Structure formats: structure tokens, C-alpha cells
Amino acid sequence: MPEEIMWERTLHQRISPRTLAVADDCIVTHARRSRLVCLGRWDGAVRWDVPFGLWPRSVVVAGDRCLGIAQNIDMLICWDLRTGAVLWNADLPRFTGHIVATGDTVLAGGWRGYTALMAFDLATGQPRWNTDGAQNTVLPQPGGDTVLIGENQGRDVSLASLHDGKELACWKLPEPLTTTDCGAIFAQADADRLFVRCGRRTVAEIRLDTGNIRVLRHHDTDLAPTAAQYSGGLLWLREARGYAAVDPTDGSLRWRVDIRQRLAENVVSTRSGFLIGGDQGTLLAMRIQAGRTSEGYAA
């Protein structure tokens, strides 16, 4: 059964996951080399179209705000998600990367070890705190009033307060963190349980409520250098040519997905199964029961 394309829009450039952010009813993305556009999620209608810098390092949505850093502008910019109006901007050191936001705080910096981690008030852009010196971190994982921070290619992971940056807990991973440069490396199952990729084949579980850490799974083949993904009650591990679906409680393998093409980094849960994008212009529908591709649709 063919799928219906609801809408499409030419961006005049190749899209990147770090320059696209999805909210409840809209999508914000970089377009035409120097613009940021907000499109209606269900109809693709342009809600606003504003100037932005070149080659963004990151674009994120947090509540009714959108935030971005462009490579040629040393500034963190905050827009009103509804209108595209600039609400505030904050000066940044050169080569600042990474943005994460939650609650009333936005965190920037730590990318490639160029800058300190810096926290700003999401409403006003006023600085709150920053680390003493440059930090080399993977993309931090915010949650509530805390943020999980991992040393890039290191074994140390710490939980810090978003309000003042104070360390609340720390862990030593069994192997060094997998490096993805700009992508996420932590996967959150619920408020107190996270999964982290480390080494070439390992997935560790961190329990924030108990402070425990354990190896959930040591995979039988090398995994792609991307985060595990928690979707539809399963933990998805990206392999060289597909995915392995893993039980998040004991790490046992449920099934593998291998259709002889590279797959996208996200697995989307649906009522009847999962959707996975392929790099040959296909959208794959997979049923839960068999764990096999049931139909492929031209994208």
C-alpha cells in the first residue's frame, strides 16, 4: 500500500540532524545557506523565515523557544518559536558547540574541548555559571534540574545541577565513551534510567535513583559510533548494516534488522511496529511480532 506524501519543501542544501529541531506542531531547520525557517509540522506552511549565520553547529527547540549557534557568529541566539522574533542573544567564545536545554536553563560549550561549559537562563539569556576552563565533553544529556556530562573518549561521567553546575554524582564507565562529535551518546528510558554507549561493543546502564551502573550488553559485533536508542520499549543498537533490538532489562537480543543498506539513526515507534529510514530513498515499516521489514515505501 503506497504512502501519501503530505508535503515537501526544498531547502536548497543538504539537511543535517544537528540543524533540524522538531516540536509538537512545527519543524525548525536551516535553509538557503543563511536562513532559519519554521514550518508547520502537518502542512509544511512557512510560519517564519529569519536570517541566521552559515553552517550552524546546533539548532534546538525548548518549550516555546528555539536556540542556535552558527559557525560564523560567536553568539547563542534565542528566537520565539511562535513568531521567529529574536528574544535575546549571548556572546560566546570562538568555536563554541553543543546546545542542550531543559526547564529554565540552556547549556552550551564543551564541544571538542574548545570552550568551557556555560549555562544561561532560558528566559533572559543571562549567564548562570561556567566550568573552570575548557571541557572536552560529549553532548550532555539534560533531565529535569540536572545534566549528565561525559568526558569525550574518557570513562568519567558526572551528574551536575543545571542551576549552579555543582557535581551531584559521578561514575566510572567500564570502557571509554564512544565519540560522535555532535550526536547524542546517552539514551534515556525514564527519569531514573539511562543507557550509554562505551567502547566498540558495550552498552552500560546508569540508574540515577540508586547510583548503580552495570554493563547491560556486550555486543557480538562492533557497533556504529552512535547512541543506543530507546523506542517502543526496546533498546536499538546501530550495527554496520542495520539494527539490533535489545531487551532493556537484561540486554538479551530480540532480533536484528538487516536489509543490505545503510539505515538512518532514528527508529520511530508506531501502533503496529516501527519505522526506519533507509539511505536509498525508502521508508521501512517493521512489525513488532516478527521483527522483519513488512513493506518499503519510496520516500
Side-chain angles (χ1 to χ4, degrees):
M1 181 177 66
E3 289 293 288
E4 177 185 357
I5 297 176
M6 296 174 61
W7 58 268
E8 60 183 37
R9 178 178 175 82
T10 300
L11 300 175
H12 303 284
Q13 62 182 24
R14 183 175 181 179
I15 199 166
S16 167
R18 68 177 182 273
T19 64
L20 181 146
V22 180
D24 289 341
D25 65 345
C26 65
I27 296 170
V28 180
T29 186
H30 195 237
R32 304 196 313 281
R33 191 167 177 265
S34 63
R35 309 290 294 185
L36 196 69
V37 297
C38 180
L39 309 173
R41 185 169 175 178
W42 311 115
D43 58 8
V46 178
R47 298 190 178 180
W48 46 263
D49 184 333
V50 298
F52 189 30
L54 307 179
W55 313 293
R57 290 202 174 97
S58 185
V59 174
V60 302
V61 167
D64 60 357
R65 308 277 167 118
C66 177
L67 302 116
I69 300 175
Q71 292 190 33
N72 67 326
I73 303 175
D74 298 327
M75 189 177 293
L76 175 63
I77 304 174
C78 177
W79 297 269
D80 187 312
L81 185 60
R82 297 162 298 182
T83 66
V86 174
L87 299 177
W88 55 262
N89 53 63
D91 291 334
L92 295 173
R94 193 75 185 274
F95 303 123
T96 300
H98 290 334
I99 306 175
V100 294
T102 184
D104 59 0
T105 306
V106 54
L107 193 66
W111 177 65
R112 294 186 179 179
Y114 289 133
T115 70
L117 281 172
M118 298 159 281
F120 302 87
D121 186 287
L122 183 58
T124 65
Q126 289 298 309
R128 284 189 169 174
W129 56 266
N130 59 268
T131 58
D132 184 15
Q135 301 287 308
N136 189 0
T137 71
V138 296
L139 185 70
Q141 174 68 37
D145 295 328
T146 62
V147 60
L148 200 63
I149 301 169
E151 178 188 359
N152 195 1
Q153 293 185 313
R155 295 177 58 193
D156 294 325
V157 174
S158 62
L159 185 72
S161 167
L162 268 175
H163 293 298
D164 55 20
K166 290 183 178 179
E167 185 178 282
L168 304 175
C170 61
W171 297 270
K172 183 75 72 173
L173 294 172
E175 296 180 69
L177 276 168
T178 300
T179 299
T180 63
D181 192 36
C182 297
I185 203 63
F186 300 103
Q188 189 144 13
D190 51 49
D192 294 316
R193 186 169 50 131
L194 298 103
F195 302 101
V196 56
R197 278 273 294 106
C198 49
R200 295 186 304 171
R201 301 185 176 191
T202 301
V203 181
E205 178 194 61
I206 297 176
R207 295 297 302 251
L208 302 182
D209 52 351
T210 64
N212 292 334
I213 183 171
R214 65 166 177 150
V215 173
L216 178 74
R217 180 175 177 83
H218 187 73
H219 205 50
D220 54 349
T221 61
D222 287 357
L223 296 167
T226 58
Q229 185 181 351
Y230 186 77
S231 179
L234 293 171
L235 195 63
W236 296 85
L237 310 181
R238 195 176 180 203
E239 299 178 312
R241 293 290 299 269
Y243 274 97
V246 170
D247 189 309
T249 59
D250 61 13
S252 61
L253 181 67
R254 290 284 190 88
W255 58 68
R256 275 191 161 96
V257 180
D258 184 356
I259 60 164
R260 301 179 183 276
Q261 65 175 274
R262 291 176 61 86
L263 300 179
E265 294 185 14
N266 290 317
V267 178
V268 178
S269 176
T270 68
R271 289 186 205 174
S272 60
F274 299 92
L275 293 176
I276 304 176
D279 71 346
Q280 297 179 18
T282 56
L283 182 63
L284 312 167
M286 188 179 68
R287 298 193 181 280
I288 297 175
Q289 294 85 347
R292 299 174 181 172
T293 301
S294 57
E295 301 193 43
Y297 304 120

